[in-house]
Amino acid sequence: MNGSRSMYRNPQVLDRKAHAELRFQPSSDFSFAADQGSFPILVNEFPEAAASYPLLFVRHEDRAPVPIASTGLGLDRNEFVDAAGRWQSDAYVPAYVRRYPFTFTDLGAARERSGDLVLCIDLDAPQLREEGVGLFDAPTDSSSVADRALEFCNRFQAGYRQTLAFAEHLDTLGLFVERRFKVTYDRAEQRDRVLQGCSVIDEERLQALDDDAFLELRRRNYLPAIYAHLRSLHRLVSLAAKLH
């Protein structure tokens, strides 16, 4: 699948002194995500996200494939964000999008170790406005914007680790197969969109698992996500309809 450019245009490590004057104003403007054809999705989001998007898996090199929610059938545009920056009201908004403009970066990667995660912010984010609340201010008894962002990013990171464990376990069972989807989005003009470079869970391989392997999926509570993924593939047709 084609990769979209990052939502984060100018990410910087958040620093209490350097960014003391930054002010934050929540916004319903999702223009920052308008050119994203897909988003990472966490395994605990599958049941909700499956009602809105096809959930696919993308493999990078020899690692286990990671799940994504397709919002543009491989194109660099998000069919769920309109020209005014509004996300389709009845569609689920992935946690990856909701944590913006905050994210983590791994400083340890430059030191040949991992785990040194620090909070970052996109300094070009539309949520940074003059009339907002200071990032490090704590209104009344509540925590600051930065503290809440750190908590959300920590939860996201925990969900990401769970998602990797889910994908790696399914990969060891050989459940993934690569698929090439040809979706017609304009029957009158016979225009098609080919989606390739993605993998799905093969239902026949799932049903062929021995009892012990299948029961282990149930023990790990992976079955709801698996069936949500399989159900979500029907969303390819409705997503193609948006390309008119």
Side-chain angles (χ1 to χ4, degrees):
M1 294 183 65
N2 296 333
S4 300
R5 66 184 181 127
S6 174
M7 296 189 304
Y8 296 86
R9 313 299 196 222
N10 186 18
Q12 301 289 331
V13 173
L14 189 60
D15 182 89
R16 183 175 290 272
K17 290 183 179 180
H19 301 133
E21 302 303 318
L22 287 182
R23 308 192 71 79
F24 181 87
Q25 177 68 47
S27 173
S28 58
D29 183 358
F30 290 95
S31 298
F32 62 87
D35 61 356
Q36 302 292 296
S38 64
F39 296 92
I41 199 78
L42 302 180
V43 65
N44 58 11
E45 298 182 275
F46 275 34
E48 286 186 274
S52 302
Y53 318 105
L55 306 181
L56 306 169
F57 292 82
V58 178
R59 187 184 295 275
H60 299 286
E61 299 176 350
D62 58 349
R63 290 174 290 178
V66 294
I68 60 166
S70 178
T71 56
L73 290 182
L75 299 174
D76 288 341
R77 68 172 184 258
N78 183 349
E79 300 295 338
F80 292 83
V81 174
D82 65 18
R86 293 170 300 208
W87 200 286
Q88 184 176 311
S89 60
D90 61 347
Y92 177 77
V93 181
Y96 181 86
V97 177
R98 286 183 278 119
R99 73 172 180 171
Y100 183 86
F102 301 96
T103 186
F104 273 147
T105 190
D106 187 353
L107 291 183
R111 304 167 188 162
E112 298 184 352
R113 69 177 189 268
S114 61
D116 295 339
L117 297 177
V118 295
L119 189 64
C120 295
I121 188 170
D122 184 358
L123 294 183
D124 290 346
Q127 291 92 334
L128 299 181
R129 302 178 181 179
E130 292 183 359
E131 68 272 20
V133 176
L135 290 178
F136 301 99
D137 295 341
T140 61
D141 294 327
S142 64
S143 57
S144 69
V145 172
D147 288 336
R148 293 197 301 272
L150 180 61
E151 181 183 358
F152 189 93
C153 286
N154 275 322
R155 291 200 305 270
F156 183 92
Q157 200 66 19
Y160 180 68
R161 289 192 294 268
Q162 294 169 354
T163 302
L164 289 182
F166 166 77
E168 288 168 0
H169 185 72
L170 269 58
D171 201 32
T172 62
L173 295 175
L175 293 183
F176 291 113
V177 294
E178 190 165 322
R179 284 282 189 266
R180 178 178 179 270
F181 296 98
K182 182 178 180 182
V183 185
T184 300
Y185 64 91
D186 190 333
R187 295 189 180 279
E189 299 292 331
Q190 286 297 299
R191 290 191 291 178
D192 301 318
R193 176 66 188 160
V194 175
L195 189 62
Q196 54 191 0
C198 54
S199 297
V200 299
I201 297 170
D202 186 90
E203 197 164 3
E204 290 185 5
R205 295 187 184 186
L206 176 66
Q207 297 302 328
L209 290 176
D210 61 41
D211 290 347
D212 288 342
F214 192 84
L215 288 174
E216 179 63 14
L217 291 177
R218 189 178 73 176
R219 187 188 71 79
R220 293 178 181 234
N221 198 31
Y222 287 167
L223 291 177
I226 289 172
Y227 290 126
H229 155 70
L230 293 172
R231 186 173 66 252
S232 78
L233 298 181
H234 296 291
R235 305 300 304 177
L236 285 165
V237 176
S238 57
L239 180 53
K242 291 176 172 290
L243 300 181
H244 281 278

